């Protein structure tokens, strides 16, 4: 089932590659290049090229410690998220576990909680006098020392819980498309259920796992919010907190050069990813796809189901419940008693004094545009990268997925540098927000679709060409329906990311173009208090769920024809 | 693999050369910057202000100013950190979009002044400023003050235990009960640290003592307040105005706030919020006039009253203190020029102490 | 009449030469089997013919139309070639049902709906898939999937039908049945088929002619019997059927005797070829006669495999093993001494 090495394909889509390459170079590479120039000290005030900022950053023991912490956290989060998300995805896609839809919805909900809120919820649970610590340590004396959330492991915990839905979404769609006959063949050949999983399913899923793992790794390296909330209290610095520190002392070149270190790490990881896939190209979407013969859990069904829901209650239900509860509190820190409850927080948000209505409207509009552009570009880039022999196609994919390693704040500054001066002046208009959102989301679009395309048998497309379909017709009739789950996952991911995005929003918004991120930030930094912020988050979550239900309802007939074996 | 690496490197190099080529004219542009007419981003008869502060205060200010001037002001609200970062990034790109900036700390303004992007303006209202606030040569004007104080959780600290001095927090009974914002992450936190270090009674040994007492760090001051409210820690060193606003909000919701302020006897650390006009040669005359009038308005009694409603201390000698601030409050001024000179040292030392085991 | 002609075809992947100056003529209405070991370039050859990949050199002409000519810079798109292909894993589209899969080529060509339905129905009857039009590929057995793939290729009545290892996933019985059916349909529709396979039995069972491919070249083309009886190279002789290769040996007396016996029995079209003393000879197992008792050349039975209609022996003669096939009337026990005679041999080219 291995792809023929170096198989050269008949190429139709070359005509679209030009514009896409230009767009990627313009939107992604150009701002990053401006940042790179700043890291070399090339700017208006001191236009001499210097490596001083790099020397300074690299020779600073603080940077090295932060780099070490960053890699440790990123590795830990990636491993944990893949275990958690992948395990759940397998259970949902391949076994006869009941309540699949409910599990999917709960996992999806996890992703809608803004990371800052999730971190605060976890501090309530695992902080010094958090609920779990009081239970395990003080009451039951189950553990010798109180658990300390303010540690690198704490960052890993919260971030893994925040990113595992990404793994779940990517792998469920891939597992559903996976060639199940192979797994069955292995079973028939005498391999046990578990052995079949490890010897057939897992290796087959490797491109998808690596693809989403790479994404999580890169994204974790760039994450600031959780690292700041959990890491700072006990002075555990990662690179992003160092970058933010440089930003706050208005030392842009240092921030830029430290960001470049992040980008370099990201590049190395990307090369490793490509290298590891080089010799292992498997096909898991083929004619035999979607043979719906779920693995029977047998007598394990109930125990597995119970542990899944226990797990989900820890990852999602409890934090989510705490967000909802907080949103009804009269004041942050009050105990959860009825007399402390109010709906005033919601009323305040829409009291007419705030920008709330406009912010929600703007964010949804921007998210819609950004997600759609992301999905289209992600499809084209993935297609070019996996289905053509155009020179530099892997570089294109790399550049397009690079921004995932850049912290939002830095991305925003790069956008300022790139788009403020004529003739490229779009700074000060809503377009700069949309463009930067697209740049930030593109990696998620590319990664989601790339894994599926890589696992799709190119013979399916060849068969259509030979049957007389033009390249475009083939793409429309065969390729698109088969990678639709990936495109959908990419779109939803991008949409959610934009809705809850904060750092890019607050640096790039202009009067009239306020977003939910701006609202969240201003609520947080002045009178609102955490209870109002939570209320905004709850509204956001409700909107997303409603939207998802609507999409599910209207998108159903189509979905029936393209996937979903159950 | 090797080929790929080489091609990536070569792409980067080509780009660098291309852009350093482009950098050439820009270089000459710097020396000739005074002659070069910078494009003006705004419209004639309309100015843009970047302001940090409570949303509602900004609305009141905008309404107050436009009452006499008509619809001429666009306010972009943002936090102190983003305000400084945004202006700085725009300045690095050589094109600051704002006409007026108001908020953040003097340290930021001294930094921006050194970059040459602030325009000198001495407001006629400056005559009414208290002596300690009439500093600088008009590149920026101090227009409100915030006091660095101790906020504590009333449910966790008995009245008898309420700290009356900074020194008390270094005592053994305060172990693992304190939080402050990280001076490396927030300019306001850096200002507070500078104030504590400059204070005779405190200095670096004080911060070391806090560290030994297991002080926790947060990224921003409001997060420190959140931790106190949640009962995770018992007290924090933060600016007073945010706390006052939260207490006011609780009062409005009909509950007894958990938060209270302790005013240290050595004096509260006075951190001012400056206002400044951005230098721009090509700004139309009528806009420059509007900028100046806006600065005048913010320092005027009317503007000061609005800010006082949100807990900010007036810089004028003819205004009363906001509700919730004791009449006999003692403010300690911070030597900003020294703080800026020592900023690097301050951050390093802070970092060293806090990351020590 | 020649239906398709491939000339001077060359193709490289990187530095690796996959197709090496290959020429091939395909007659109208015949089944030509292209056989060769995996990696010999036969699938690439099919892909070049179908237009799924390009070539560095050479041309492909089908029914008088030039589909590919690198020299003249002609390359007709795959969808315009009127070639159909049945893929190894069938490549059925998992999101289409049987009817949609089969009718796709017609729908793409904008064939009128009623006509399209008629053709699909006819074709489905032809491959005996009646009543399965609503099924999805994953609901079909391997044999049924094979039929859908075949039907999908047949609906356009292609100028040339390509089979890429299409039968290799079926079990032996099923394979034979399919071969018969394909042959029948081919004759009915007068199709020209190129069938690529690594399985010589499959090739011999269905094809009119066989082309043996090795290292990007066609080593020999001819009728099935001709290729078997008169292989021109050692590779062909070894790949199609089993062969004993005998060359003159100076240090092994038995081998030398065998060689001389083979030379005498040599039966070649071109008699000049075996004048050369260095020539290598190929002897089919059934052309070696063994008898019990003494003779000029003696061997020992080392292994016997009962095949039902024949018995395969491995005889040790001198330093070598000789493969022998006899009818079942004479049985020899292991270790028995036998005399060996060669009744037919051909000289072949050394690879």
């Amino acid at each position: 089932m291995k792809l023929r090495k170096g198989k050269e394909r008949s190429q139709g889509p070359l005509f679209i590659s030009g514009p896409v390459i230009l767009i990627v170079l313009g939107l992604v590479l150009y701002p990053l290049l401006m940042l790179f120039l700043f890291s070399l000290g090339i700017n208006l005030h001191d236009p001499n090229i210097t490596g001083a900022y790099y020397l300074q950053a690299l020779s600073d023991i603080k940077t090295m410690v932060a780099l070490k912490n960053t890699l440790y956290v990123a590795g830990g989060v990636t491993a944990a998220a893949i275990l958690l998300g992948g395990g759940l995805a397998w259970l949902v896609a391949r076994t006869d576990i009941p309540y699949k839809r409910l599990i999917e919805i709960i996992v999806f909900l996890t992703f809608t909680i803004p990371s800052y809120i999730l971190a605060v919820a976890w501090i309530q649970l695992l902080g010094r006098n958090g609920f779990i610590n009081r239970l395990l340590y003080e009451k039951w004396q189950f553990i010798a020392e109180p658990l300390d959330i303010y540690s690198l492991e704490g960052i890993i915990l919260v971030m893994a819980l925040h990113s595992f839905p990404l793994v779940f979404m990517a792998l469920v769609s891939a597992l559903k498309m996976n060639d199940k006959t192979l797994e069955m063949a292995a079973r028939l050949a005498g391999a046990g259920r578990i052995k079949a999983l490890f010897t057939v399913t897992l290796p087959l899923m490797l491109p998808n796992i690596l693809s989403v793992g790479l994404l999580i790794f890169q994204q974790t390296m760039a994450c600031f919010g959780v690292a700041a909330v959990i890491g700072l209290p006990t002075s555990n610095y990662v690179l992003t907190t160092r970058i933010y520190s440089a930003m706050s002392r208005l030392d842009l070149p240092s921030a830029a050069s430290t960001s470049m270190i992040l980008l370099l790490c990201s590049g190395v990881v990307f090369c490793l990813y490509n290298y590891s896939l080089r010799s292992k190209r498997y096909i898991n979407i083929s004619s035999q796809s979607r043979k719906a013969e779920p693995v029977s859990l047998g007598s394990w069904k109930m125990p597995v189901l119970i542990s899944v829901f226990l797990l989900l209650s820890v990852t999602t239900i409890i934090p989510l419940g705490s967000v909802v509860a907080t949103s009804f509190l009269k004041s942050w820190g009050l105990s959860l008693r009825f007399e402390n409850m109010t709906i005033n927080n919601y009323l305040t948000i829409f009291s007419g004094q705030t920008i709330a209505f406009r912010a929600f409207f703007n964010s949804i509009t921007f998210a819609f545009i950004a997600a759609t552009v992301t999905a289209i570009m992600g499809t084209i880039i993935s297609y070019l990268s996996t289905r053509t022999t155009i020179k530099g196609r892997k570089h294109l994919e790399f550049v397009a997925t690079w921004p995932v390693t850049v912290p939002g704040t830095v991305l925003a500054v790069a956008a300022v540098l790139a788009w403020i001066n004529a003739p490229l002046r779009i700074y000060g208009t809503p377009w700069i927000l949309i463009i930067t959102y697209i740049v930030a989301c593109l990696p998620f679009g590319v990664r989601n679709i790339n894994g599926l395309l890589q696992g799709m048998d190119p013979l399916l497309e060849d068969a259509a060409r030979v049957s007389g379909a033009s390249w475009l017709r083939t793409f429309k009739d065969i390729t698109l329906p088969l990678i639709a789950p990936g495109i959908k996952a990419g779109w939803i991911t991008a949409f959610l990311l934009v809705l809850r995005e904060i750092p890019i929003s607050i640096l790039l918004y202009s009067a009239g173009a306020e977003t939910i991120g701006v609202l969240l930030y201003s609520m947080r930094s002045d009178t609102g208090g955490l209870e109002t912020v939570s209320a905004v988050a709850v509204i956001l979550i409700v909107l997303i769920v409603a939207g998802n239900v609507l999409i599910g309802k209207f998108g159903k007939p189509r979905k029936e024809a393209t996937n979903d074996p159950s | 693999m090797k080929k790929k690496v080489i091609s990536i490197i070569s792409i980067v190099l080509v780009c660098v050369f291309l852009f350093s080529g482009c950098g050439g004219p820009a270089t000459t542009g710097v020396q000739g910057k005074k002659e070069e007419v910078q494009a003006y981003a705004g419209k004639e008869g309309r100015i843009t202000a970047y302001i940090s502060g409570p949303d509602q205060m900004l609305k009141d200010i905008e309404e107050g100013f436009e009452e006499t001037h008509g619809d001429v002001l666009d306010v972009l609200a943002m936090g102190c950190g983003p305000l400084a970062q945004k202006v700085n990034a725009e300045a690095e790109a050589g094109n600051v979009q704002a006409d007026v900036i108001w908020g953040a700390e003097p340290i930021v303004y001294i930094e921006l002044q050194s970059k040459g992007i602030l325009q000198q303006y001495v407001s006629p209202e400056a005559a009414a400023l208290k002596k300690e606030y009439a500093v600088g040569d008009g590149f920026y004007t101090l227009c409100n003050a915030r006091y660095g104080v101790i906020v504590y959780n009333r449910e966790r600290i008995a009245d008898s235990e309420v700290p009356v001095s900074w020194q008390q927090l270094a005592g053994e009974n305060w172990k693992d009960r304190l939080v402050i914002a990280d001076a490396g992450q927030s300019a306001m936190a850096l200002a507070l640290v500078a104030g504590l270090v400059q204070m005779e009674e405190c200095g670096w040994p004080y911060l070391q003592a806090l560290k030994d007492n297991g002080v926790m760090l947060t990224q921003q001051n409001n997060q420190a307040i959140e931790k106190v409210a949640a009962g995770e820690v018992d007290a924090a060193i933060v600016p007073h105005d945010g706390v006052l606003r939260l207490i006011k909000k609780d009062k409005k919701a009909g509950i007894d706030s958990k938060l209270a302020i302790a005013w240290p006897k050595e004096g509260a650390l006075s951190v001012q919020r400056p206002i400044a006009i951005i230098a721009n040669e090509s700004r139309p005359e009528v806009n420059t006039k509007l900028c100046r009038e806006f600065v005048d308005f913010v320092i005027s009694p009317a503007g000061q009253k609005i800010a006082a409603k949100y807990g900010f201390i007036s810089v004028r000698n003819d205004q009363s203190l906001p509700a919730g601030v004791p009449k006999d409050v003692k403010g300690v001024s911070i030597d900003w020029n020294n703080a800026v000179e020592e900023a690097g040292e301050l951050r390093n030392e802070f970092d060293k102490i806090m990351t020590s085991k | 009449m020649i239906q398709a002609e491939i000339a001077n075809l060359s193709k490289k992947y990187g530095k690796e030469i996959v197709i090496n100056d290959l020429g091939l003529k395909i007659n109208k209405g015949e089944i030509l089997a292209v056989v060769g070991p995996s990696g010999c370039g036969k699938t690439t050859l099919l892909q070049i013919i179908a237009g799924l990949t390009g070539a560095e050199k050479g041309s492909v002409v089908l029914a008088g139309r030039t589909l590919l000519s690198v020299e003249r810079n002609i390359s007709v798109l795959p969808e315009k070639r009127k070639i159909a292909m049945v893929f190894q894993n069938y490549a059925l589209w998992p999101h289409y049902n049987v009817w949609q899969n089969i009718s796709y080529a017609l729908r793409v060509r904008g064939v009128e709906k009623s006509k399209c339905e008629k053709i699909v129905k006819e074709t489905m009857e032809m491959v005996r898939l009646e009543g399965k039009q609503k099924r999805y590929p994953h609901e079909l057995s391997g044999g049924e999937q094979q039929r859908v793939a075949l039907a999908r290729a047949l609906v356009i009545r292609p100028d040339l039908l390509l089979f890429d290892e299409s039968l290799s996933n079926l079990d032996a019985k099923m394979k034979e049945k399919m071969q018969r059916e394909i042959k029948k349909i081919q004759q009915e529709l007068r199709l020209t088929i190129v069938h690529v396979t690594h399985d010589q039995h499959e090739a011999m069972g269905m094809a009119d002619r066989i082309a043996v491919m090795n290292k990007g070249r066609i080593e020999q083309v001819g009728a099935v019997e001709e290729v078997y009886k008169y292989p021109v190279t050692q590779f062909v002789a070894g790949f199609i059927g089993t062969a004993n290769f005998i060359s003159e040996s100076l240090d092994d007396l038995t081998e030398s005797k065998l060689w001389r016996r083979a030379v005498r029995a040599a039966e070649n079209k071109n008699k000049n070829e075996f004048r050369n003393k260095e020539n290598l000879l190929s002897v089919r197992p059934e052309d070696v006669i063994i008898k019990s008792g003494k003779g000029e050349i003696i061997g020992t039975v080392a292994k016997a495999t009962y095949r039902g209609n024949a018995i395969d022996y491995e005889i040790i003669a001198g330093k070598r093993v000789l493969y022998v096939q006899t009818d079942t009337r004479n049985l020899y026990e292991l270790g028995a001494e036998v005399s060996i005679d060669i009744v037919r041999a051909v000289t072949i080219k050394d690879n």
Side-chain angles (χ1 to χ4, degrees), chain A residues 44 62 116 150 233 237 241-242 245 249 331-333 353 395 420-421 425 427 507 509 511 524 531, chain B residues 7 30 59 76-77 86 90 93 95 97 182 184-185 217 222 226-227 232 249-250 258 347-348 351:
Chain A
L44 289 173
K62 285 188 278 189
Y116 173 74
Y150 297 119
Y237 291 95
T241 32
R242 286 291 173 205
S245 176
R249 58 174 193 264
S331 180
W332 168 242
Q353 303 170 336
H395 300 165
I420 199 170
N421 286 313
R425 205 179 123 67
Y427 186 77
L507 275 185
Y509 89 96
R524 216 172 98 198
E531 61 277 13
Chain B
S7 50
V30 172
K59 284 215 173 61
L76 221 53
K86 191 176 170 84
E90 291 178 2
N95 196 349
Q97 313 278 297
D182 188 338
Q185 299 285 316
L217 299 182
N222 60 307
E226 279 167 14
K227 282 194 184 315
E232 200 187 340
K249 180 174 176 280
D250 283 347
K258 284 182 171 184
R347 288 192 189 93
N348 278 337
D351 208 81

Side-chain angles (χ1 to χ4, degrees), chain A residues 16 69 231 300 313 333 352 377 453 504 512 548:
Chain A
I16 44 163
N69 289 347
W300 284 92
S313 62
M377 286 191 43
L453 259 180
I504 293 173
N548 197 38

Side-chain angles (χ1 to χ4, degrees), chain A residues 4 6-8 10 286-291 457 459-460 462-470 473 477-478 481, chain C residues 11 13 47 52-53 77-79 83-85 87 89 91-96 104-105 108-109 137-138 145 152:
Chain A
R4 276 174 295 280
K7 183 180 176 224
E8 188 189 307
S10 62
S286 68
S287 325
Q288 282 81 14
S289 289
R290 288 181 291 120
K291 182 152 261 176
D457 190 345
L459 286 183
L460 294 177
D462 286 354
R465 291 301 295 278
V466 174
S467 291
S470 63
R473 186 78 194 258
D477 288 349
I478 310 297
Chain C
K11 166 85 181 168
Y13 287 135
Q47 291 196 323
L52 294 171
T53 188
L77 289 171
E79 60 266 28
I83 289 177
M85 190 160 173
F87 294 87
N89 63 355
L92 300 181
W93 301 301
H95 58 305
Y96 281 166
Y104 186 73
V108 164
R109 287 177 167 77
H138 67 263
Q145 291 186 359
R152 187 172 71 179

Side-chain angles (χ1 to χ4, degrees), chain C residues 49 63 97:
Chain C
I49 297 175
N97 63 23

Side-chain angles (χ1 to χ4, degrees), chain B residues 127-192:
Chain B
L129 257 52
K130 284 184 190 159
K131 204 165 80 252
E132 68 259 40
Y133 297 128
V135 296
D137 29 20
F139 282 100
Y140 58 90
T141 312
L142 305 183
C143 58
N144 325 96
R146 316 162 78 182
Y147 281 140
V149 293
I150 301 166
V151 60
Y152 65 93
N153 188 323
R154 288 171 50 218
E155 284 179 3
R156 297 176 64 92
I157 292 183
D159 284 347
S160 59
E161 215 195 352
V162 172
V164 294
S165 75
W166 295 113
Q167 279 302 331
Q168 249 174 306
L169 298 180
E172 249 173 44
N173 56 334
W174 280 92
K175 186 145 180 63
D176 291 335
R177 296 172 73 183
L178 197 64
V179 61
I180 57 173
D182 188 338
Q185 299 285 316
S186 141
M188 180 70 205
L190 181 72
L192 292 179

Side-chain angles (χ1 to χ4, degrees), chain A residues 395-468:
Chain A
H395 300 165
L396 182 71
E397 183 196 334
F398 175 55
V399 170
T401 54
W402 218 359
V404 77
T405 331
V406 185
T409 314
V410 178
L411 216 49
V413 167
V416 174
L417 298 177
W419 306 113
I420 199 170
N421 286 313
L424 303 170
R425 205 179 123 67
I426 51 163
Y427 186 77
T429 70
W431 289 107
I432 184 138
L433 272 179
I434 295 173
I435 280 185
T436 315
Y437 287 149
I438 291 172
V439 171
C441 293
L442 197 54
F444 296 85
V446 173
R447 279 276 151 268
N448 266 305
I449 299 161
N450 214 4
L452 274 182
L453 259 180
Q454 225 148 33
M456 182 176 146
D457 190 345
L459 286 183
L460 294 177
E461 288 150 306
D462 286 354
R465 291 301 295 278
V466 174
S467 291

Side-chain angles (χ1 to χ4, degrees), chain A residues 368-387:
Chain A
F368 191 86
I369 299 174
T372 308
V373 175
T374 297
I376 294 171
M377 286 191 43
T379 309
I380 298 173
I381 292 166
S382 301
Y383 193 92
L384 290 175
S385 157
T386 55
R387 284 292 188 270

